Amino acid sequence: YAVGSMPMYIAAIDKKTLEVAHLPKGLELKGNALVVDQALFPSEAWRFYAKDATGNYLKEALAVSHSAEPHGPPLFDVHYFYGQPTQFESYTRTDLTPVQYGFEVKLDKVPAD
């Protein structure tokens, strides 16, 4: 048996509903594309999901990151959706709480063929 522990993190998530007419600075809707400023809404901490006028979620067709230089940090992301978004749900990671995850794994021999 192998016994040990590893650090893991439990995230606290904040959910908000954003109307297309009142998007905060750093978010802009152009047609069916949401342009996200990475300085204000970094992709490692934020997720956006689009809904149409009937309240149904829209499928994301494509997501593209743009940077000023090749292999540089992204300046903004563009998320393209099938259909016309009327509101977005935003999810942001507000806090990470470290926890220790204990494990015990039984080690077996590889069977000979």
Side-chain angles (χ1 to χ4, degrees):
Y1 285 89
V3 178
S5 68
M6 68 175 88
M8 298 184 81
Y9 297 92
I10 298 175
I13 305 295
D14 184 28
K15 175 186 171 185
K16 293 183 181 171
T17 301
L18 307 170
E19 296 298 327
V20 170
H22 305 295
L23 291 176
K25 179 181 177 188
L27 298 177
E28 183 180 358
L29 184 65
K30 293 184 177 184
N32 68 333
L34 177 65
V35 180
V36 181
D37 183 340
Q38 287 298 292
L40 299 172
F41 299 97
S43 60
E44 65 271 1
W46 287 84
R47 297 291 181 268
F48 298 96
Y49 298 94
K51 287 186 171 185
D52 64 10
T54 64
N56 292 322
Y57 287 98
L58 298 175
K59 182 171 177 63
E60 186 173 18
L62 177 68
V64 181
S65 292
H66 297 278
S67 60
E69 50 193 62
H71 309 294
L75 295 176
F76 61 93
D77 288 349
V78 182
H79 301 269
Y80 297 91
F81 297 96
Y82 289 111
Q84 185 60 46
T86 58
Q87 67 177 209
F88 292 95
E89 283 184 356
S90 71
Y91 295 85
T92 183
R93 184 184 68 218
T94 58
D95 190 28
L96 288 176
T97 304
V99 295
Q100 288 295 322
Y101 176 75
F103 62 88
E104 182 177 310
V105 179
K106 182 178 179 184
L107 303 174
D108 287 332
K109 292 183 180 180
V110 177
D113 290 336

